[in-house]
Structures are given as structure tokens and as C-alpha cells.
Amino acid sequence: MKNSLYVLMVLFVFSMLQACKPSVPSKYIQPGDLEDILYDYHIAQALATTDRMSNYDFERTKYFLAVLKKHGVTQADFDSSMVYYYSHLDRLKPIYLEVNEQA
């Protein structure tokens, strides 16, 4: 009986620690969605650099806006989310590791 009580207490404490784990505030793009956006963003930037006959800045902007439209995200949402993630690099690093794995 003591062992059962001990196991229940350990599970309770563990679940409380998991619940206290900070998460990304809902006003920012969530990690899984940001992974998809960043993957497409970097592909778009690569495509813009391959088109040597046109204006690079124009192409880069055009592709970037297409990525945002595809994912239903405004530039303001993307920018504010990136500011958040740049100030929380411990959350950005795993996202980029996943983006790198997809490549």
C-alpha cells in the first residue's frame, strides 16, 4: 500500500512539473506551424536567388508574401513571432533543427 501511495505521489509531482513548463503564448505562431512556414520561407529564398534575370529583392519579397499567404499568416504576425522566438532562442533552436531535418 505504501508503494502505491509513493507511486501516486511521484506521478502527481511529475504531472505538476509538466504543467508548469512554459509554453509559447497563443498570440505567437506555434512551433509546429512556424517549422512549416520557415521551411517554405527558406525554399522561397533559394528560389529567389536562382532567378538571376530579375530583381532579387522583388523576387524575394514576392516569394515571402506567397509563403505567408499559403499559411494564412500576416507579415505582422510573422514578424512579432520571430521577435518572440529570437528572444527565446531555447525555443527557436529545436524549430530550426526540425527545419534542417526536413531539408
Side-chain angles (χ1 to χ4, degrees):
M1 183 70 172
K2 279 186 176 182
N3 285 342
S4 299
L5 184 58
Y6 177 74
V7 169
L8 286 174
M9 288 181 68
V10 168
L11 289 174
F12 176 75
V13 169
F14 181 74
S15 67
M16 292 302 292
L17 290 174
Q18 287 293 82
C20 295
K21 183 179 175 183
S23 62
V24 175
S26 62
K27 67 181 180 176
Y28 301 115
I29 300 170
Q30 295 303 299
D33 296 330
L34 188 60
E35 277 177 32
D36 296 336
I37 294 168
L38 289 174
Y39 178 79
D40 289 345
Y41 168 79
H42 288 293
I43 295 294
Q45 299 307 294
L47 288 171
T49 62
T50 61
D51 190 1
R52 300 281 184 215
M53 300 301 287
S54 64
N55 183 348
Y56 171 70
D57 289 332
F58 175 74
E59 292 297 316
R60 196 177 82 196
T61 301
K62 182 174 74 172
Y63 285 127
F64 173 66
L65 293 175
V67 167
L68 294 181
K69 184 177 181 180
K70 173 185 174 184
H71 292 279
V73 173
T74 66
Q75 187 165 356
D77 289 339
F78 179 80
D79 291 345
S80 65
S81 294
M82 290 308 293
V83 167
Y84 170 80
Y85 281 101
Y86 280 131
S87 65
H88 296 87
L89 292 176
D90 59 315
R91 296 182 184 171
L92 184 59
K93 183 179 178 181
I95 292 170
Y96 264 108
L97 289 173
E98 287 298 319
V99 169
N100 190 42
E101 285 295 315
Q102 291 180 31

